[in-house]
Amino acid sequence: MTLEGRVVLVTGGARRIGRTIAVTLAQRRARLVLSYRTAAREAGTLVKAMQRAGSEVLAVRADVSNAADIVMAFIDDPGSYSSCTAELIYRSSEKS
C-alpha cells in the first residue's frame, strides 16, 4: 500500500519502535514529521539517512502531550508541513 502524498506525524520517531514505524512509512512514500523530546542526535541522523534515500522528512523537538509545544516547534522552524501539522493539532483538540 502506498501512502504517497500523505503526511504522517510519528511521535517518538527517532528511536526504537517509532524509528521502525517511520522507516516503514517512508518506504511506503509518506511524507514524515518526526517528533522527539530528547533524541536530537538520533533524529538528525535518521532524517539525513532518510533524505539521502529520497524521503521527505522533517524532525521537530516537541512534547506532543502539549499542543502549544507542537505549535511553537513549527513557528520556530516553518516549512512545507506547517499547514498539515496545524490541521493535525486542530483535529486532536476537537477530540479533547
Side-chain angles (χ1 to χ4, degrees):
M1 167 173 58
T2 182
L3 296 172
E4 190 166 359
R6 303 266 178 126
V7 177
V8 180
L9 171 63
V10 181
T11 61
R15 296 192 277 194
R16 298 184 291 271
I17 294 171
R19 179 185 177 100
T20 301
I21 291 168
V23 169
T24 300
L25 292 169
Q27 291 169 344
R28 294 187 178 164
R29 303 181 54 106
R31 296 171 65 200
L32 300 174
V33 178
L34 308 178
S35 73
Y36 65 92
R37 278 185 30 190
T38 59
R41 186 168 23 122
E42 293 95 332
T45 300
L46 180 60
V47 165
K48 287 177 188 172
M50 293 174 98
Q51 287 174 337
R52 280 193 305 268
S55 297
E56 289 185 68
V57 59
L58 170 70
V60 295
R61 183 176 182 276
D63 177 354
V64 296
S65 69
N66 180 346
D69 203 20
I70 297 170
V71 171
M72 290 308 297
F74 284 90
I75 289 171
D76 291 343
D77 184 16
S80 61
Y81 294 93
S82 297
S83 63
C84 297
T85 305
E87 184 176 343
L88 287 171
I89 293 166
Y90 175 75
R91 287 187 179 178
S92 82
S93 67
E94 286 180 336
K95 295 177 183 177
S96 298

